Amino acid sequence: MIEKFRQFAKVPPKGWNSWDGYGASVREDEVKRNADYMSQHLKQFGWQYITVDIQWYEPSADSSKYHDFAPLVMDDYSRLLPDPKRFPSATNGSGFKPLADYVHHLGLKFGIHIMRGIPRQAVHKASPIKGTDKTARDIALNNICPWNSDMYGVNVDMPEGQGYYDSLMALYASWGVDFIKCDDIANSVIYNGTHKKEVEALRKAIDKTGRDMVLSLSPGPAPVENGAFFQHTANMWRITDDFWDEWSLLLNMFDRAEKWSSMSRPGNWPDCDMLPLGHIGIRSVDGPGGNRQTRFTKAEQKTMMTLWSLMQSPLIMGGELPDLDDWTSRLLTNRELLKMDDRITEKYQIYRDKKMIIWYAASSDSEYHAIFNVSDDELTLTGSQISSFDLPLKGYNVWLDQDVTLSTKQTIQIGSHDVYLIKTSIN
Amino acid sequence: MIEKFRQFAKVPPKGWNSWDGYGASVREDEVKRNADYMSQHLKQFGWQYITVDIQWYEPSADSSKYHDFAPLVMDDYSRLLPDPKRFPSATNGSGFKPLADYVHHLGLKFGIHIMRGIPRQAVHKASPIKGTDKTARDIALNNICPWNSDMYGVNVDMPEGQGYYDSLMALYASWGVDFIKCDDIANSVIYNGTHKKEVEALRKAIDKTGRDMVLSLSPGPAPVENGAFFQHTANMWRITDDFWDEWSLLLNMFDRAEKWSSMSRPGNWPDCDMLPLGHIGIRSVDGPGGNRQTRFTKAEQKTMMTLWSLMQSPLIMGGELPDLDDWTSRLLTNRELLKMDDRITEKYQIYRDKKMIIWYAASSDSEYHAIFNVSDDELTLTGSQISSFDLPLKGYNVWLDQDVTLSTKQTIQIGSHDVYLIKTSIN
Amino acid sequence: MIEKFRQFAKVPPKGWNSWDGYGASVREDEVKRNADYMSQHLKQFGWQYITVDIQWYEPSADSSKYHDFAPLVMDDYSRLLPDPKRFPSATNGSGFKPLADYVHHLGLKFGIHIMRGIPRQAVHKASPIKGTDKTARDIALNNICPWNSDMYGVNVDMPEGQGYYDSLMALYASWGVDFIKCDDIANSVIYNGTHKKEVEALRKAIDKTGRDMVLSLSPGPAPVENGAFFQHTANMWRITDDFWDEWSLLLNMFDRAEKWSSMSRPGNWPDCDMLPLGHIGIRSVDGPGGNRQTRFTKAEQKTMMTLWSLMQSPLIMGGELPDLDDWTSRLLTNRELLKMDDRITEKYQIYRDKKMIIWYAASSDSEYHAIFNVSDDELTLTGSQISSFDLPLKGYNVWLDQDVTLSTKQTIQIGSHDVYLIKTSIN
Amino acid sequence: MIEKFRQFAKVPPKGWNSWDGYGASVREDEVKRNADYMSQHLKQFGWQYITVDIQWYEPSADSSKYHDFAPLVMDDYSRLLPDPKRFPSATNGSGFKPLADYVHHLGLKFGIHIMRGIPRQAVHKASPIKGTDKTARDIALNNICPWNSDMYGVNVDMPEGQGYYDSLMALYASWGVDFIKCDDIANSVIYNGTHKKEVEALRKAIDKTGRDMVLSLSPGPAPVENGAFFQHTANMWRITDDFWDEWSLLLNMFDRAEKWSSMSRPGNWPDCDMLPLGHIGIRSVDGPGGNRQTRFTKAEQKTMMTLWSLMQSPLIMGGELPDLDDWTSRLLTNRELLKMDDRITEKYQIYRDKKMIIWYAASSDSEYHAIFNVSDDELTLTGSQISSFDLPLKGYNVWLDQDVTLSTKQTIQIGSHDVYLIKTSIN
C-alpha cells in the first residue's frame, strides 16, 4: 500500500526558489514577480512551486551571508514569522497567508524553507510551546547547525518536542503552505549524517495536518545508506552539497546520480538541487561569481538538463524568471525533457571512462540513451563504436529535435561537456 | 526493458551450500547426499540450488582454515579444476560436469564458488591464457584477497584479461553450472570497496556463454552506495560479513536489512547470507563453536526466518540436510514464509527502539507486520499499544498458524529474541 | 631557550580536583576541607593544587549532569563569576579571591576550570567586552561544546576576541588563580580535533598577565599529531577521554601512554587524568557506580600509580581527601613513586603481548623496569624469562619495599592486573 | 641509558641515493661515479652515505616502473642478490661486498634498499630458510606491498621468521653494508599503518650482527602516533610520501615538519625525503617531468634546504653528483646550514597564516628564525612587524651571508616561495 504522502509528489516537483538569486534576503515583491512570470509562461509546462528560501524571519538579512545571532521575528509560541518589513502582507501576525493566497490565485503552489529545530532566542528566553506547559528551554537539545546560528535541535522523544513540530506544521498548513524545504536535517557535517528523529517528527507533524505539503530535505549530500529511510519519510532529498554554475560540480553530480538512480520512484525523488540558469546572484553571494548570467556554457546547460531529467530530479529554477532569455526559456519548456522527468521508470549509468559517460533510461513506451562528453575536447564516435555500447543507430535526437539514422561507418561529434541524447520507441 | 540476467532469479534463490558444514573441504559424496535429500524433501517447496563452496581445487583442504600458498589443481590455461581425490568424478579433466549432471538428474541446479582473479601459481609460472598469446603473468594485477592466498586480481582493461574471465565462464557453462558465487569481489577490506571492473567483466563473460547462470557476489558487507551498480550486474550480493549462529550477528542484520530494503526486486536480491541451522560445523572451524547443532534458540530461528523472508533474502541452508530434525524441517518448509520470500513487493522498517523493531511488508494481496523483541526480556504489549504503531488487531498469526483478534486492552507476550508476525489481506 | 611558561610546571603538577567527587556541584566548604587535609597530610610530599572544576557559576548545579541552558552568574563584561550561594565568600563581586587567599594561606595553590569560549547568554544579550567597543555577539562564533551548553567559541582573529581572553585571564590573575584547566579545547568530537586558535589566544592572554598560571587542556584524547603544538602552548593536556575506576579504561591507558611517552618533558606533561581513588561519586553521577569507594582492586591501583608515575603524568587526586584510608594514603605518599614522577627523563614500552606489558624508564641515577600483568590470570615468570627481556634479576622491588635477587630458575608471580616494579642504580 | 643503535646516527645522515636519477635501474658504474664525486667534493662537508635504491636484484629493471612478477636473482636461502649484469662485481655470489669495499676505500659508507618481507618466488617454490628446517612457504604471510610485487610479509612470531631476517642482516653485514633503507614498512596504505612487528624483527636482527648499520624506514607518511615506537626501533623514518620537485609537495612538508618537530633527537631523525636537486629523472619516470634539471626555483631550493636543516632531516641528495652546477654545489656545502642540521636541539613553528610561516630553532650557542613566504607574491615586512613576532632585528642573514640590522621602520622583501633566515648568538 503506497504511503499517502508519496501521492503529494507523483512526479518530480518543478518550481522556482529564491536562493540562487537572493540568498537569505528575498522580498515579497520579488517573490510575486517571479510567481507572475511562472503563471503566465511556465505553468502550462508543469511548473508550479514558488518557494521562499531561508531566513524570511530575519529583518537584517541582505545577502546569502548570515548575521550570526541576529534577533528574529517570532510569535508567542517560539515559532518564527515573516519579517513584515520584507513581507508587508505579513503584518498583524498574518504570516505567509496573504502571500500564499496570492500564489494560489495564480494557479500555483507556495513553499517555504525552514531550519531544523527551535529558535535559540526562544530557548534562552524560555518562551512557551503551544499546547504544552513546557518552554523552549525544556525541549531544546544542545546541538546546532554548523553554518547558521538561528536554531537548536529539538528533543522529539518528549511529547512536547513532537508537539512543537506539530504546532509549526499546523501554523504553516493554516497559511496554505504546499511545500516545506527543511534544512540542516538531511546531512550534518558535524553530527555525521541525517537527523533521523527530527525527520520522523516532521513526517508525523505534516501527516497530522491533513494538508498535502511536499517535504523536501536539505542539505546534501544525503547519505546513500539512508535511502530507504528517506523513501518512507520524505518526498525529495538533496544528493549533493549546494550546486552552482561550475563544471566540477556538474561533473561530480554524475557520481551521485549513479549511486541514487535506483532509489527514486513516484513520491520519492533524490534531488540534484536547483538549476543555476539565467540571471542569478542578484543578492546571493554564495557560489562563484556575483550578479551574473549563469557561467555554464550552452553545452553544459544541455548536459545538466539531460542528467536532471534522466534522473527524474525535481526541477527547481534558481534564476530570476522575469529576466529569462529565449535560450533559457526553451531549456525550461522542452516538452521531451519534461516528459522524461515525469515518466521515466528505470534509469542507470551503463558506461563510464575518463572521456565519456553513458546513461540508459526507459519509460513505458520509450527508451533513452545519452552519451555525455565529460572531456575538455570534442569527442568523435563512429556508428560502430556507438553500437558496441548497445546504443541504437536510429532514433529521435532530442536536442536536434529530429530523427536520425547512422551507419556503422558514419561518425558523430559531441562537443566538450555536451551530450548526445537519442530516444527510441518500445513497441 | 528488464535486463536479461535478472530473469535468471525471478525469486530469491533457495538452496544448500557446503561452507557452514565443511568449510573448504567438502567431498563429492557429501555433496551428493545433501542433493539427494533436497530432491526428496525440499524440492517441492522451491529449494533447488546445490553449491560447492570454496577451494574444491585444493587437495589438502581439510577444514575452513586455508593452507596458504598450497599448490592447486589447474588446467593448461590457468583455470582451476576440482581435485579428483575429493571429487572422484572429476578425473580425466571432466571437471564438475559429472557432478552437475548428477544434480540435474535430481531435478536440481548446480552451483560453484570461485575466487576473483587468476591463480598466483599460474602467474609465477607464466601459464597460458586460452585463446590469447598472453600469459597469466601478463594479465595479473598486484592485488590480492586479504584472507586467502590463491589468486591475484586480473587486469580486465586488457582484452586478454576479459578473455580469461570469458574462458572461465565458458568452461563452467560447459560443465553445466547454474550458479556462480564469486568471492573477494563485493567488498574488500584492504581495497575499500567493490572490485567493480571485475564484476563487470564477470557479467559480460556470463552473458557471452548464453547459459542462465545466477551470479552471487561475496563477501559482505557490500557497500550500500554501490546498490545501483549491483542491480545492473548481479543477481544477489552479500550485505554482511559472514553470518553465524550468534545473536549479535542476527541483531546486526536488522541494520543492514533496513538500509538495503528498497534495493531488492526481481532478479536483484540483497543477500543476508546462509542459514546456520541444524547440524553445522562438521569440519568448518569458522564461526563460533565446533561440530554442533545451531546455537540459535528457537525464538532466534523464527526471528531469522522472518527477517530473511521479509527482506526476500536468498535462502541458502548451511546445515547438513540429511541430519535435519523435525523443527528445522518445518522452518524450511513453512509455506507462508516461502511465499513471503517470493511474493513480497515492498518492505521496510517502521519503528525501532532499544527493545523492539517493527517491519512492514506487502505483496499484491497481503500485508505483513512483524514485531521483533530484540531485548533480553519478555515484551508485553497491549492491543492499544499495537494499534498506536498502525498495526492490525485482527489477522493471521503466521507462527501460531491461526487467526487472531485482539481487543485494545488485551495483551500479547513476545519472548526474548522472538517475533510476532501478523498477515492481513488487502481487499 | 626554554619557553617561560614551561617553568610554571617543572615537575608534573600534583593536586586535588572536585570533579570525581562532586561533578559540577562542589561548594566552598567542601573545597576548603579538602584543602585543609592536603595542607596537613600531603603538602610535604609535593601535593599542592586545589582545583574547583566545572560550572562554579551555575546556581542550580547539583551533580555531574548539566542543566542545559540554565542562567549563569556573570559580571558586566561577559565573564562568569562564582555563584555566591555555593561560594559565600564570592559575594559582592569578589570572585574567587577570598577562596584563593584561603588556599594560599595553607601553603597551597588554587586552580579553576573554565570552558572554552564566551557565555551564550552574553551573546544573545549582546553584553559588553571589557576594554573594547564590541559586544559578545560581535566576537562569538557559531560553534559549541557538544556536551555542555554554556558557551560559544570566540573569534580570536579579531583583536576584541583576543581582548576577551585577555580580560578573563587578567580577572583570574587578580583573584590569585595558579592553575587554569580549560575544557572543550584539547579535542572536540564534532570539530575533529584541537581548537588551536583559542589555545594560542589563551597562551598569549596568560603570558600577558605576568602571573605563573599553569595551563591544563581538556578533554582528551588530545590528538597525538598536535603534540608539538601542545608543547609550545600548554603545561599539560589530557591524553584520554574521562578516566574512571574501570579496568578497560586503565588497560586502554597503556596504548595512549605508549604513543605519548616521548612527548613529555619539564613544563610539558601529557596527562593521564585524575586518580579515581578512595571515596568518589559523592554527587558526581558521571562514570560507573554511585557514591562509592573506588572500584579498582588494590592490584589495579598499584598498576595505575605505577603507570602514571612512569609516564610522569600529573597526579590529580579525585577522591575526597578527608575520607582517605590508610592504604590510599600510602599510595599517594609513596616517596619512590613520587620521585619517579618528578625525576624520570626517559620512558617507553619495551614489550607487549596479550598477557603482559613491559615498560622501561630512567632518571639521572636510576633505571626502572615494570612488568604489568594485564591478563585475568596470575602470571608466573622465571628469572630466565625475565632476563630474556633485558630486565635485571637484582634490584629494589618498589612495591615490596625491599631488595630482591632472583636466580634464573626462580619464579615470580604477578597477580591479575598487578605490577612488578624493579629499580636499579645507574653507576 | 641511550639505546646503542641511536649512536649509529648521532647527526642526521647525509648522502646520495640512486632513486631520483635512476629509479629501479641503477648500475654499478653509475654508483661508483657518484661515490667518486662525493669522496672528492662533498666528503669534507659531512656527506658520506652512498645508497643503491630498490630492485638491484631485478635483471630487467630499466626505470622506476616495476615489471610485476619478474624473476629475481636469489641465493639458495631465499635471499635476494644483486644482478651480476647490472653489478658486474657481484658475480660468483660475492653480493655487494666488492662494491661496498670500493665505497669504503673512498672513505664513504655504503647503503642498500630492501623491501619488507620474503620473495614471492621463494614462497611459491618453497625455498629453504638458512639455519632452519622451514621453507619460505612456511614463514610467509599473505600480505603484500601495494605498489611492488616482489615480496610477501614474514611471520616473525615464528622463530624461523625472525631467523629469516637474522640471516638477511647477517649477509648484509658480511658485505659491509652501513645503511639499510627498508621500504613498505613505515606506512602501508592498504594495511593502515606501520608493520610494527617486522620493524621490531629488523631491529633485533641488526642488533645481533654487531655491525653499525643505520636503519631507515620508508615509505611515508609514517603515522605520527607511532613516533615513540620509531624512536626505539629506527634511526630515521619518512614523514611524507615520495617527495619531488613540485611546490605543492614542499608546501605540504611544513605541515608534516610541524607535527614531527618535537620527535627528533640524536639517533632518531624524522626524514623529509631526498633532495630532488640538480640533474634528476635520468631514468626515473616517477615524479613530474622526465630527464631534467630540478624544476624548483632557486627560492624554493633555499626554502627546502632551510626547512630540512631546521628540521634536522637527513640530507640525501637525489641528483646526479658529477653533473652538479655551482649553485647546487654551494647549496649542498653551505656550512651554516649543515651546522644547523647537525647541532640544533630544539625547533618549532611559531606562526602560520596563508602567506607566511615562521620557525624558530636553537642550538647550544645560536638561535635561528626563519620567515618563509609561502604566497605567490613578494612579501614586504617592516622591522616593527618582524619584532611583533619576537624576531630579532639584528643578526646574521644566513642566505645573504652578512650581518644585518633593521630599524623598526625599515622593510625587507621576501620573494615568492623564498625564505629570510636570521641567526643570533646566545650569550
Side-chain angles (χ1 to χ4, degrees), chain C residues 15 35 108 124-125 132 183 192 212-213 242 245 264-265 399:
Chain C
L108 302 176
H124 287 279
K125 280 179 200 155
T132 82
D183 215 334
N192 295 321
D212 290 5
M213 297 195 283
D242 280 14
D245 46 334
S264 72
R265 58 181 188 174
W399 286 108

Side-chain angles (χ1 to χ4, degrees), chain A residues 18 51 61 94 102 120 142 214 220 235 240 309 319 371 379-380 402 409:
Chain A
S18 59
T51 299
S94 45
Y102 181 91
R120 297 192 201 171
N142 180 38
V214 168
N235 295 109
T240 61
S309 300
I371 306 177
L379 181 68
T380 299
Q402 62 182 45
K409 292 194 177 158

Side-chain angles (χ1 to χ4, degrees), chain A residues 258-326:
Chain A
E258 187 207 356
K259 293 190 200 314
W260 281 102
S261 58
S262 69
M263 304 288 272
S264 71
R265 57 180 188 174
N268 293 136
W269 307 110
D271 175 10
C272 295
D273 202 6
M274 291 175 282
L275 305 165
L277 293 177
H279 184 193
I280 54 177
I282 297 165
R283 287 199 301 278
S284 186
V285 296
D286 192 22
N291 188 341
R292 66 190 180 281
Q293 286 295 310
T294 185
R295 305 185 324 162
F296 276 137
T297 64
K298 288 186 177 177
E300 289 163 351
Q301 294 179 51
K302 287 162 61 190
T303 284
M304 181 181 69
M305 290 303 295
T306 305
L307 180 60
W308 266 237
S309 300
L310 279 170
M311 258 303 282
Q312 303 188 275
S313 174
L315 298 175
I316 310 292
M317 173 62 178
E320 176 75 356
L321 296 183
D323 295 352
L324 279 179
D325 58 21
D326 274 4

Side-chain angles (χ1 to χ4, degrees), chain C residues 275-386:
Chain C
L275 305 165
L277 293 177
H279 184 194
I280 54 176
I282 297 165
R283 287 199 300 279
S284 186
V285 296
D286 191 23
N291 188 341
R292 66 190 179 279
Q293 286 295 310
T294 186
R295 308 186 320 163
F296 278 137
T297 64
K298 288 186 178 178
E300 288 164 349
Q301 294 180 51
K302 286 162 60 190
T303 285
M304 180 181 69
M305 291 303 294
T306 306
L307 180 60
W308 266 235
S309 301
L310 279 170
M311 257 304 280
Q312 301 188 276
S313 174
L315 298 175
I316 310 291
M317 173 63 177
E320 176 74 356
L321 297 182
D323 296 353
L324 279 179
D325 59 22
D326 273 3
W327 160 264
T328 316
S329 276
R330 280 197 304 272
L331 274 183
L332 301 182
T333 57
N334 183 315
R335 290 199 184 273
E336 188 63 43
L337 290 169
L338 292 165
K339 197 162 69 175
M340 287 165 61
D341 196 58
D342 285 355
R343 301 188 50 236
I344 278 172
T345 53
E346 168 98 353
K347 64 268 182 180
Y348 51 92
Q349 177 185 300
I350 53 177
Y351 180 80
R352 180 166 188 166
D353 63 25
K354 297 218 164 136
K355 293 186 176 171
M356 66 176 171
I357 299 175
I358 306 179
W359 275 68
Y360 166 84
S363 66
S364 60
D365 56 16
S366 303
E367 289 189 312
Y368 301 89
H369 288 84
I371 306 177
F372 298 94
N373 176 3
V374 295
S375 79
D376 293 337
D377 303 306
E378 190 175 73
L379 180 70
T380 299
L381 293 170
T382 63
S384 120
Q385 286 173 304
I386 289 173

Side-chain angles (χ1 to χ4, degrees), chain B residues 356 358 371 379-391 393 407-412:
Chain B
M356 65 175 171
I358 306 179
I371 305 176
L379 181 68
T380 300
L381 293 171
T382 63
S384 122
Q385 286 173 305
I386 288 173
S387 287
S388 74
F389 293 109
D390 288 330
L391 264 65
L393 291 181
S407 72
T408 54
K409 292 193 178 161
Q410 271 181 294
T411 58
I412 57 162

Side-chain angles (χ1 to χ4, degrees), chain B residues 5 8 112-117 154 156 161-170 172 179-186 194-211 213-218 229-230 232-236:
Chain B
F5 78 87
F8 305 169
I112 58 173
H113 175 287
I114 64 171
M115 293 295 292
R116 178 184 68 90
V154 168
V156 294
Q162 178 67 50
Y164 174 69
Y165 277 113
D166 292 349
S167 77
L168 264 191
M169 291 303 119
Y172 300 155
F179 183 102
I180 302 280
K181 174 182 176 180
C182 185
D183 215 336
D184 184 39
I185 196 160
T194 306
H195 287 285
K196 285 185 166 186
K197 286 194 169 186
E198 283 171 277
V199 172
E200 289 172 332
L202 263 176
R203 175 75 271 138
K204 283 181 203 160
I206 292 175
D207 288 349
K208 285 179 192 171
T209 66
R211 183 171 176 86
M213 298 196 284
V214 168
L215 179 58
S216 163
L217 304 180
S218 281
F229 173 81
F230 290 123
H232 300 290
T233 48
N235 295 107
M236 46 191 275

Side-chain angles (χ1 to χ4, degrees), chain D residues 113-342:
Chain D
H113 175 287
I114 64 170
M115 293 295 293
R116 176 184 69 90
I118 191 161
R120 297 192 201 171
Q121 67 183 35
V123 173
H124 287 279
K125 279 178 201 157
S127 306
I129 302 302
K130 194 172 184 191
T132 81
D133 56 1
K134 293 281 195 269
T135 73
R137 183 175 293 165
D138 301 319
I139 65 163
L141 290 174
N142 181 38
N143 71 44
I144 65 172
C145 173
W147 43 266
N148 175 284
S149 67
D150 294 340
M151 316 297 263
Y152 285 126
V154 168
N155 182 356
V156 294
D157 287 338
M158 295 173 67
E160 296 87 356
Q162 178 67 49
Y164 175 69
Y165 278 113
D166 292 349
S167 77
L168 264 190
M169 292 304 118
L171 179 65
Y172 300 155
S174 79
W175 289 348
V177 168
D178 305 298
F179 183 102
I180 302 280
K181 174 182 176 181
C182 185
D183 216 335
D184 184 40
I185 196 161
N187 189 44
S188 168
V189 172
I190 60 176
Y191 301 110
N192 294 322
T194 306
H195 287 284
K196 284 186 166 186
K197 286 195 168 183
E198 283 171 278
V199 172
E200 289 172 332
L202 263 175
R203 175 75 271 138
K204 282 182 204 158
I206 292 175
D207 289 349
K208 286 179 191 170
T209 67
R211 184 170 176 87
D212 291 4
M213 297 196 283
V214 168
L215 179 58
S216 164
L217 303 180
S218 282
V224 177
E225 57 173 29
N226 291 347
F229 173 81
F230 290 124
Q231 285 189 334
H232 300 291
T233 48
N235 295 108
M236 47 190 275
W237 51 90
R238 284 270 302 284
I239 64 173
T240 61
D241 202 345
D242 281 15
F243 180 74
W244 282 103
D245 45 336
E246 205 160 76
W247 170 248
S248 64
L249 298 174
L250 180 47
L251 180 59
N252 172 268
M253 196 67 76
F254 284 91
D255 286 316
R256 311 299 308 169
E258 187 207 357
K259 294 189 201 315
W260 280 102
S261 58
S262 70
M263 304 288 272
S264 72
R265 56 179 189 175
N268 293 135
W269 308 109
D271 175 9
C272 295
D273 202 7
M274 290 175 283
L275 305 165
L277 293 178
H279 184 194
I280 54 177
I282 297 164
R283 286 199 300 279
S284 185
V285 296
D286 191 21
N291 188 340
R292 66 190 179 280
Q293 285 296 309
T294 185
R295 305 186 323 162
F296 276 137
T297 63
K298 288 186 177 177
E300 288 164 350
Q301 294 179 50
K302 286 162 60 190
T303 285
M304 180 181 71
M305 290 304 294
T306 304
L307 180 61
W308 265 237
S309 300
L310 279 172
M311 259 303 283
Q312 302 189 275
S313 173
L315 297 174
I316 309 291
M317 172 63 177
E320 177 75 357
L321 297 182
D323 295 353
L324 278 179
D325 57 24
D326 273 4
W327 160 265
T328 316
S329 276
R330 279 197 305 270
L331 274 184
L332 300 182
T333 58
N334 183 315
R335 290 201 183 271
E336 188 63 43
L337 290 169
L338 292 166
K339 198 162 68 175
M340 286 164 60
D341 197 58
D342 285 355

